[in-house]
Amino acid sequence: MPSMKHKEKNMHNQLHRLLPLVLLAPAALLPVLPVPEYWITLLNYIGLYSLVAIGLVLLTGVGGLTSFGQAAFVGIGAYVSGYLSTRYGVSPWLTLPAGLLITVAAAYLIGLLTMRMSGHYLPLATIAWGLSLYYLFGNLEFLGKHDGLNGIPPLAIFGRPLNAGREMYYLIWLIVLLAALAVTNLLNSRPGRAIRALKGGVTMAEAMGVHTAWMKVVVFVFAAVLACISGWLYAHLQRAVNPTPFGLNYGIEYLFMAVVGGVAHVGGAVLGASVLTILKDLLQGVLPRLFGDNGNYDGIVFGILLVLLLQYAKDGIWPYLRTWFPRRTPVDAPADAVPLTVRKKPARGSLLLDVKAARKEFGGLVAVNDVSFQMRAGEIVGLIGPNGAGKSTTFNLVTGLLPLTRGEIRYRDDIVSNLTSRDIAQRGIGRTFQHVQLLPTMTVLENVALGAHLRGDFLPQGGVMASVLRLNRNEEKKLLREAAMQIKRVGLERHMYDEAGSLALGQQRILEIARALCGDPALLLLDEPAAGLRYKEKQALAELLRKLRAEGMSVLIVEHDMDFVMNLTDRLVVMEFGTRIAEGAPEKIQSDPAVLEAYLGSVA
């Protein structure tokens, strides 16, 4: 018999599912009610703007890639449909795939060139290509130059033309709902977690096996597709197109809509489009009466609004509005899912990692000077030394974060020298970071599931359309089951559905270990795992690592805490000034003259 808590949880989720229907019911009835035509027109434009803003939620709010050029993709959708339907009499429904094809091709090429940029260079690049496309629309003879195209035919359904705004209303908002559902489905999936990881930095995402350069292009193209669909609808709603609505000003407004509503939330995109569209309409009617007809006063008000928003509500309006509604409780990790395939572990005592004369130079500085050491399966090895000894650089050479200058690193039967981090992760090497790198607003379960990015049913960098269409449900069950198992394995099951950012530092370090274990590694590399931990937390961490060693896991630790490594490791490798100065059991290292001199400055 189900428990009372389980019943309450089911009722809570049912209420959460029914609430959108209650809110949407009045909106669905508007076209058949005797409301002013102007209301319907305003809502239609809110829908068109919402489509672009939803794409920006995925691109900017979640992926962390700022774009001011989305209006240009709206223009591609509008102009392709307008040109083909007026010049060649192509059915408006057939012009949509043509527009999407051109948009995908253009976005893919632009994305390959610009998505590798970071910092302020990326927004500047989006302004550049946005302006280029805008001027292209206004200077091509066959597109009517600045006069544009007129006489665009209306869309028709079953032979009935959608001539009026009331007739287009349902189509526009149906597409908005489908777009919101598609983006939500995508974000709640393996590719979605990879997209979320982009904002947390390339280093962590690549170490989990995410092809970050490819995922950036994917979200850029996805956002461009939504903008193109908005342009296609606009062309057949307005029945004419010219370059004006596709310039930089509109590109800035689209981004402003997403920011005002809540750039990290799909609901925020619709909210931001609604607030700004209605506010702009009101201001354009009121401000000229107050200050005169001359002057772009609404732009001034929007500027002030943006400053206030960034000062007092940098996450937008949606997070505040969402507190009024019941929150959806997390879905339990499925215990009945089929387990993921586990790679065969090496025999205990077999050679696992072989570092041969590894050297790393930064210009004239030799950071790692021909360091050699080996690791065998089923042992814990510590890599220690004073500050500046080259430990972290050696660690980063093994994990693929840095390329070797010369030498060789072999893992099992493969040479992994100069492979990328994701290629090394695919071969069975997991890692944590000196400074914890988590996605703080995602749950512990979702953070750990990111570690299994390379273990899904679909291709590691694919599965986007499968996620959008929810064809990956069985894969998601497997990945979440694996994540839940690793969380229980490290003792964090009590926090499985908590946000990762709410955990204490020691728990976050344990979470990183669980995330690395989710990738099914044979070798686990830990970068200063005891840093910042209290005594009892260090004891718990040491106990976990001994447990993993007993299960056949091999562990390489970079650590400064001598008490921690001396009581835990099987062997130690000591470095000073980029050179290995000693290697052996902890008891031997404690009395080694070279080690004593390196740490104490004297052997006396």
Side-chain angles (χ1 to χ4, degrees):
M1 190 172 181
S3 65
M4 184 62 68
K5 185 177 180 181
H6 187 69
K7 288 181 178 179
E8 290 177 358
K9 179 179 176 181
N10 286 338
M11 290 178 62
H12 190 83
N13 281 336
Q14 288 173 6
L15 179 60
H16 190 279
R17 285 192 292 266
L18 289 173
L19 187 63
L21 298 177
V22 174
L23 296 175
L24 287 172
L29 294 173
L30 274 177
V32 298
L33 296 176
V35 296
E37 191 69 29
Y38 183 69
W39 289 17
I40 303 299
T41 301
L42 202 62
L43 285 169
N44 282 340
Y45 278 98
I46 290 172
L48 296 180
Y49 301 153
S50 295
L51 276 175
V52 188
I54 289 171
L56 283 169
V57 165
L58 185 65
L59 180 65
T60 304
V62 178
L65 305 167
T66 303
S67 173
F68 292 101
Q70 297 306 105
F73 293 124
V74 179
I76 291 177
Y79 267 105
V80 169
S81 190
Y83 178 74
L84 291 178
S85 58
T86 57
R87 183 69 178 269
Y88 297 104
V90 178
S91 166
W93 292 101
L94 295 179
T95 63
L96 176 58
L100 290 175
L101 185 64
I102 293 173
T103 299
V104 168
Y108 179 73
L109 292 175
I110 293 171
L112 286 179
L113 295 173
T114 60
M115 289 300 107
R116 67 185 68 184
M117 298 179 180
S118 59
H120 61 277
Y121 296 106
L122 176 59
L124 288 175
T126 65
I127 291 173
W129 58 253
L131 286 173
S132 299
L133 289 176
Y134 167 72
Y135 286 119
L136 189 67
F137 297 146
N139 287 280
L140 291 177
E141 187 72 41
F142 70 93
L143 295 181
K145 292 191 172 182
H146 289 284
D147 293 329
L149 303 172
N150 297 297
I152 298 174
L155 293 169
I157 298 178
F158 300 117
R160 179 181 176 180
L162 306 180
N163 289 306
R166 290 179 187 268
E167 295 167 331
M168 285 286 288
Y169 178 90
Y170 288 114
L171 176 63
I172 290 172
W173 281 98
L174 174 63
I175 293 176
V176 171
L177 290 175
L178 290 176
L181 180 62
V183 172
T184 301
N185 287 344
L186 176 58
L187 292 177
N188 295 327
S189 68
R190 181 176 62 138
R193 288 186 289 273
I195 294 168
R196 292 175 189 273
L198 296 176
K199 203 170 184 179
V202 170
T203 301
M204 183 272 286
E206 287 279 334
M208 298 303 109
V210 178
H211 193 329
T212 54
W214 172 247
M215 291 310 299
K216 287 178 180 181
V217 174
V218 166
V219 294
F220 184 67
V221 171
F222 199 107
V225 163
L226 293 181
C228 170
I229 295 173
S230 175
W232 172 73
L233 289 168
Y234 170 84
H236 297 284
L237 173 68
Q238 193 74 8
R239 309 283 294 279
V241 293
N242 65 71
T244 304
F246 314 125
L248 180 60
N249 287 343
Y250 278 84
I252 294 172
E253 279 191 22
Y254 288 133
L255 187 58
F256 193 24
M257 289 174 186
V259 171
V260 167
V263 73
H265 309 277
V266 174
V270 181
L271 177 62
S274 303
V275 169
L276 257 71
T277 304
I278 294 172
L279 183 61
K280 185 176 182 180
D281 180 70
L282 291 174
L283 292 175
Q284 286 176 344
V286 172
L287 293 178
R289 290 200 295 268
L290 294 176
F291 301 107
D293 293 335
N294 297 323
N296 188 16
Y297 300 112
D298 55 317
I300 297 172
V301 174
F302 283 163
I304 296 171
L305 177 63
L306 180 60
V307 172
L308 293 174
L309 189 75
L310 294 176
Q311 181 70 28
Y312 298 105
K314 62 180 180 180
D315 295 325
I317 304 172
W318 181 257
Y320 294 99
L321 188 64
R322 193 174 57 174
T323 59
W324 299 352
F325 306 115
R327 298 287 298 273
R328 185 187 181 101
T329 55
V331 178
D332 291 329
D336 57 344
V338 178
L340 291 171
T341 304
V342 178
R343 64 166 52 91
K344 185 179 179 180
K345 296 295 188 293
R348 186 178 291 273
S350 61
L351 182 61
L352 186 67
L353 180 70
D354 189 7
V355 179
K356 297 180 180 178
R359 186 178 185 88
K360 180 59 183 177
E361 299 175 358
F362 296 98
L365 174 66
V366 180
V368 177
N369 186 16
D370 299 336
V371 168
S372 299
F373 65 91
Q374 292 182 336
M375 277 193 68
R376 298 195 173 273
E379 68 174 352
I380 300 178
V381 174
L383 187 61
I384 65 172
N387 287 332
K391 306 181 301 297
S392 294
T393 304
T394 302
F395 189 91
N396 289 331
L397 292 175
V398 175
T399 56
L401 191 60
L402 293 173
L404 280 167
T405 302
R406 70 166 183 251
E408 180 181 281
I409 299 175
R410 185 180 289 271
Y411 172 72
R412 301 180 75 170
D413 296 326
D414 293 334
I415 296 175
V416 297
S417 308
N418 299 329
L419 291 181
T420 63
S421 295
R422 63 179 179 274
D423 289 331
I424 288 175
Q426 193 167 28
R427 283 161 172 76
I429 298 179
R431 68 161 296 175
T432 64
F433 297 89
Q434 180 179 356
H435 304 289
V436 174
Q437 295 193 30
L438 301 172
L439 301 173
T441 60
M442 283 171 54
T443 65
V444 170
L445 180 67
E446 291 172 309
N447 269 276
V448 174
L450 179 62
H453 182 75
L454 294 172
R455 301 180 65 192
D457 296 330
F458 295 92
L459 293 174
Q461 313 312 335
V464 172
M465 287 309 300
S467 300
V468 167
L469 300 174
R470 290 298 305 276
L471 300 177
N472 64 335
R473 281 172 288 188
N474 288 334
E475 176 186 72
E476 274 301 291
K477 289 180 179 179
K478 293 179 183 179
L479 296 178
L480 293 177
R481 178 186 183 276
E482 178 68 21
M485 285 176 55
Q486 299 303 338
I487 290 170
K488 292 174 182 176
R489 187 180 182 185
V490 301
L492 283 179
E493 60 267 31
R494 191 162 58 90
H495 301 284
M496 190 176 299
Y497 302 111
D498 296 341
E499 287 190 352
S502 69
L503 270 58
L505 176 60
Q507 293 169 327
Q508 290 182 351
R509 292 198 180 278
I510 298 296
L511 191 161
E512 277 206 323
I513 294 175
R515 184 180 63 191
L517 292 173
C518 214
D520 188 29
L523 174 60
L524 189 61
L525 283 78
L526 308 180
D527 195 352
E528 299 193 23
L533 302 190
R534 296 185 293 268
Y535 177 71
K536 287 190 175 296
E537 290 175 327
K538 290 179 183 179
Q539 285 186 314
L541 175 60
E543 186 59 34
L544 170 61
L545 296 181
R546 291 189 186 100
K547 175 184 172 184
L548 294 176
R549 176 176 58 187
E551 294 173 2
M553 183 69 63
S554 305
V555 184
L556 175 63
I557 302 177
V558 172
E559 186 54 70
H560 281 289
D561 190 321
M562 289 299 100
D563 289 336
F564 182 77
V565 294
M566 289 294 176
N567 294 312
L568 174 66
T569 57
D570 300 302
R571 287 189 302 111
L572 290 170
V573 177
V574 188
M575 294 182 64
E576 184 185 23
F577 300 123
T579 302
R580 189 196 70 177
I581 61 172
E583 180 177 355
E587 301 80 16
K588 176 185 174 183
I589 293 299
Q590 284 178 318
S591 59
D592 190 293
V595 176
L596 293 175
E597 185 173 1
Y599 275 95
L600 304 177
S602 171
V603 295

